[in-house]
Amino acid sequence: MAAPLGLQLEFGGGAELLFDGVKNHHVTLPGQSDPWDMKQLLAWIRGNMLKERPELFMQGDTVRPGILVLINDADWELMGELEYQLQDQDNVVFISTLHGG
Amino acid sequence: MFRLNRKCMKCKEGTAVLIIRVNDAFCRSCFKEYFIHKFRAMLGKNRVIFPQEKVLLAVSGGAASCSMLSQVQEGLSREAPKKFRFVPGIIYIDDGGACGRSAEERQRSNALLKSIFTETGFTYFIVSLEQVFSLPTSVLVPGTSDPDPSNPSYKQAVDQYIKEKQTLTEENVASAVAQLSIADSAYSPERKLALERLFSSMKTLTAKEDMLQTLRSVFSKLLYSFCFYFLSFLRYVIAVLVILTAIDITHDKASIQRLTESFVTNLQSDFPSTVSTIYRTSEKLHTVMPPQSQTAEPASKCLLCHCTLDTKVDKASAFHATLVSEQLSQIKLQDSSLDAPAQSAEQCCTEGQGCGPGGCCSSNRLPSHQDLKMLLCYSCRLTIKDMVSLRKAPHSWVQSLRVLHSSNSFYDVVDDMASQQFHM
């Protein structure tokens, strides 16, 4: 069984309002046999962190269109999006791009 | 498996960190250059700013305006001849009063923005939205409520376009809307043509909507990526943005627009023809304007919203019916208690009798809600219904009320109020 996974999650652009207004979260994912991937992380976030209005953050298995996801400061599209396998102490940033101004 | 081994498609050297458009991977520095290039190209194509001109930058503290500010700074720092040649100034409008922010919150964000602006070295103005009440009415421009044939509205422009081209169908209307949006942008003619072709090739309305949404999101991604990588202060300035998002996502009842929007979109999900039906029905609705004679005086404007007064109507109207109903059901409270001494005040003053030992009782008479209502449109009347006191009414209202009434004692009261305004 793999060791628990520590991650730094950040929410910005208004997305933090769905998480009690807190921008920075350090979370520890429980150890499991298979490595954690982004798809599982999103499901975990929905089940354990989202306080309200899950439809504003997620759409089905993935994030809602308009939410920019950066893994270690790089676009998650470069990392394989939902299939990226998380490493210990990875930094994942979710930025809502739904507002101009 | 998917580690960062992709190279930047532009310089071929740096490690790619971001994907622009469909599959173009850029490294950080090439992305920055790309972004700067886009900004300068847009300015150049539009040709609205000329050398030595003063340009006022409206900064709200959000991602787009902060990026614009940083781009202007960047453009002004380059060595000539590529340097920007206009003179920028910054304005920030604090609308916290309208958004329900506390005084402390507003002070905090104003201070933060002030420090950012000072650093730029540009002239800046931080004004609060409430100051609009101090402006002379000649400066204020009403919203487009009056149809003006020389300046067709957006919808009328769409209609004209459609009639010129082909028969009116839903599909064509959507195409027309998209074409008008594309025309406004800073795209090159080839790109515009390609976009228009792409748009017309889409079969369904849903597909067109999806495409528009995709185009918009491409721009958003660009903007927010730039902010994330190159504007560290944005993380703090987001605090200003938060209040807007709070209103947006927490409250269906934050505004009539939000409520209507959620009502319609909820209906649409069960009945897919809702939106198109509303659109087509709205086209059939129009108000009948009474024929305007040459000698008719220009319609008076509401004191608060500056739209044309809609309360000067005849007796056989819905509005008149509400007035009658109001009179019949009114419980005589505050207004009448104010009016009673007012009446006796006028009596004692006009009859030449001395007033009581407490001085003239007319000095206690303030302009009442009744007086103010005459100068407001229907919706603004409803807005001021809950006003407890008119003491803090804007100066411009005081002036207008003075014009409305002609009694001398009233002038005294109004002058008192006016001087109080200046000393507050």
Side-chain angles (χ1 to χ4, degrees):
Chain A
M1 178 134 147
L5 201 60
L7 295 175
Q8 184 68 25
L9 303 180
E10 286 180 38
F11 300 95
E16 66 275 21
L17 288 169
L18 297 171
F19 299 93
D20 276 341
V22 178
K23 290 194 181 142
N24 294 298
H25 299 252
H26 190 86
V27 300
T28 310
L29 302 177
Q32 60 181 30
S33 45
D34 293 326
W36 280 86
D37 61 19
M38 281 300 291
K39 188 167 167 176
Q40 292 170 354
L41 172 66
L42 290 177
W44 187 89
I45 290 175
R46 175 167 33 199
N48 294 278
M49 291 179 70
L50 261 178
K51 299 294 176 197
E52 54 175 328
R53 312 287 298 274
E55 74 277 9
L56 291 178
F57 185 72
M58 291 189 62
Q59 197 177 75
D61 283 338
T62 184
V63 288
R64 188 189 172 187
I67 302 216
L68 186 61
V69 184
L70 299 165
I71 303 173
N72 299 326
D73 285 1
D75 193 346
W76 76 328
E77 281 180 60
L78 281 166
M79 317 284 261
E81 290 195 29
L82 290 171
E83 284 150 35
Y84 170 76
Q85 289 179 3
L86 291 157
Q87 314 266 304
D88 192 40
Q89 302 314 313
D90 267 351
N91 184 308
V92 184
V93 182
F94 298 93
I95 303 180
S96 170
T97 65
L98 297 173
H99 295 279
Chain B
M1 194 176 19
F2 293 97
R3 302 290 7 197
L4 284 179
N5 49 14
R6 242 175 112 166
K7 293 293 176 194
C8 171
M9 62 159 281
K10 191 161 174 240
C11 66
K12 316 274 194 270
E13 284 174 10
T15 318
V17 291
L18 184 70
I19 293 195
I20 309 281
R21 297 187 290 256
V22 181
N23 207 14
D24 296 339
F26 279 67
C27 68
R28 249 171 122 118
S29 39
C30 289
F31 170 58
K32 187 173 186 183
E33 270 178 39
Y34 173 81
F35 195 87
I36 293 172
H37 168 74
K38 279 283 174 199
F39 183 81
R40 297 182 72 101
M42 193 268 311
L43 277 187
K45 275 181 190 157
N46 281 321
R47 280 185 222 280
V48 286
I49 302 175
F50 298 101
Q52 311 319 320
E53 270 192 338
K54 282 188 180 169
V55 178
L56 190 64
L57 308 172
V59 176
S60 67
S65 51
C66 287
S67 306
M68 172 185 67
L69 183 58
S70 91
Q71 285 302 303
V72 168
Q73 273 180 286
E74 162 82 37
L76 285 170
S77 69
R78 287 204 182 193
E79 42 327 288
K82 280 191 173 174
K83 195 169 156 177
F84 285 156
R85 290 180 294 167
F86 57 84
V87 181
I90 303 170
I91 187 163
Y92 168 67
I93 301 177
D94 170 16
D95 58 359
C99 295
R101 298 183 80 206
S102 72
E104 298 81 41
E105 283 175 324
R106 292 170 73 175
Q107 252 172 1
R108 248 187 291 133
S109 46
N110 287 356
L112 174 62
L113 285 158
K114 183 173 174 174
S115 65
I116 293 171
F117 297 160
T118 320
E119 221 187 288
T120 64
F122 305 151
T123 313
Y124 65 87
F125 305 92
I126 297 182
V127 295
S128 60
L129 190 58
E130 298 91 305
Q131 286 174 255
V132 75
F133 288 122
S134 323
L135 293 173
T137 35
S138 53
V139 165
L140 297 171
V141 178
T144 50
S145 59
D146 307 336
D148 174 11
S150 61
N151 182 17
S153 69
Y154 186 75
K155 189 164 173 303
Q156 283 172 304
V158 170
D159 276 349
Q160 260 179 305
Y161 174 84
I162 291 162
K163 278 174 189 139
E164 279 165 24
K165 300 280 170 177
Q166 37 212 322
T167 55
L168 178 61
T169 66
E170 208 173 72
E171 297 280 310
N172 295 326
V173 166
S175 304
V177 168
Q179 288 188 29
L180 284 168
S181 322
I182 291 169
D184 282 342
S185 70
Y187 289 118
S188 67
E190 302 80 29
R191 187 113 355 126
K192 256 189 244 183
L193 197 60
L195 276 169
E196 282 168 20
R197 275 207 210 105
L198 177 63
F199 200 78
S200 9
S201 72
M202 310 228 132
K203 300 288 177 216
T204 65
L205 205 55
T206 320
K208 288 184 208 267
E209 282 168 14
D210 280 344
M211 205 201 87
L212 278 179
Q213 189 52 40
T214 309
L215 283 177
R216 278 189 217 119
S217 67
V218 165
F219 173 72
S220 288
K221 180 175 180 181
L222 209 71
L223 183 73
Y224 278 81
S225 302
F226 176 78
C227 291
F228 177 78
Y229 288 121
F230 301 109
L231 296 187
S232 53
F233 66 68
L234 187 74
R235 293 173 190 249
Y236 303 104
V237 159
I238 290 278
V240 173
L241 201 60
V242 160
I243 193 66
L244 303 171
T245 46
I247 290 169
D248 245 75
I249 72 167
T250 337
H251 240 324
D252 251 2
K253 291 182 185 162
S255 70
I256 194 87
Q257 282 85 2
R258 279 289 297 150
L259 199 55
T260 314
E261 188 191 320
S262 62
F263 175 69
V264 172
T265 46
N266 286 338
L267 270 182
Q268 174 76 7
S269 55
D270 288 333
F271 306 102
S273 58
T274 303
V275 172
S276 60
T277 307
I278 291 173
Y279 185 82
R280 277 176 298 164
T281 310
S282 69
E283 288 186 310
K284 295 176 191 168
L285 296 172
H286 56 272
T287 53
V288 176
M289 294 278 291
Q292 289 215 300
S293 63
Q294 294 299 96
T295 54
E297 48 179 76
S300 28
K301 305 278 185 187
C302 169
L303 197 57
L304 183 56
C305 67
H306 294 280
C307 291
T308 315
L309 275 185
D310 55 357
T311 49
K312 312 278 191 222
V313 288
D314 11 298
K315 295 213 166 128
S317 65
F319 176 68
H320 192 77
T322 62
L323 288 180
V324 170
S325 152
E326 198 184 304
Q327 273 167 15
L328 290 174
S329 60
Q330 212 168 29
I331 305 167
K332 307 269 173 197
L333 276 177
Q334 267 193 315
D335 271 4
S336 69
S337 64
L338 272 182
D339 286 339
Q343 280 169 14
S344 56
E346 278 169 18
Q347 274 181 345
C348 79
C349 286
T350 53
E351 283 170 15
Q353 295 175 7
C355 298
C360 183
C361 36
S362 72
S363 64
N364 290 328
R365 181 179 177 250
L366 289 169
S368 69
H369 281 73
Q370 216 39 50
D371 301 324
L372 200 55
K373 267 174 151 184
M374 293 298 119
L375 301 171
L376 298 172
C377 70
Y378 180 71
S379 6
C380 292
R381 288 187 186 197
L382 293 178
T383 304
I384 66 136
K385 219 177 184 175
D386 295 329
M387 269 177 79
V388 171
S389 149
L390 291 171
R391 262 194 193 284
K392 291 195 178 172
H395 187 55
S396 56
W397 293 14
V398 170
Q399 303 276 39
S400 304
L401 285 166
R402 174 194 300 213
V403 170
L404 182 67
H405 284 266
S406 54
S407 69
N408 288 333
S409 57
F410 190 82
Y411 274 139
D412 291 337
V413 170
V414 155
D415 278 330
D416 273 341
M417 273 182 69
S419 57
Q420 269 173 38
Q421 296 272 342
F422 287 119
H423 292 135
M424 260 198 259

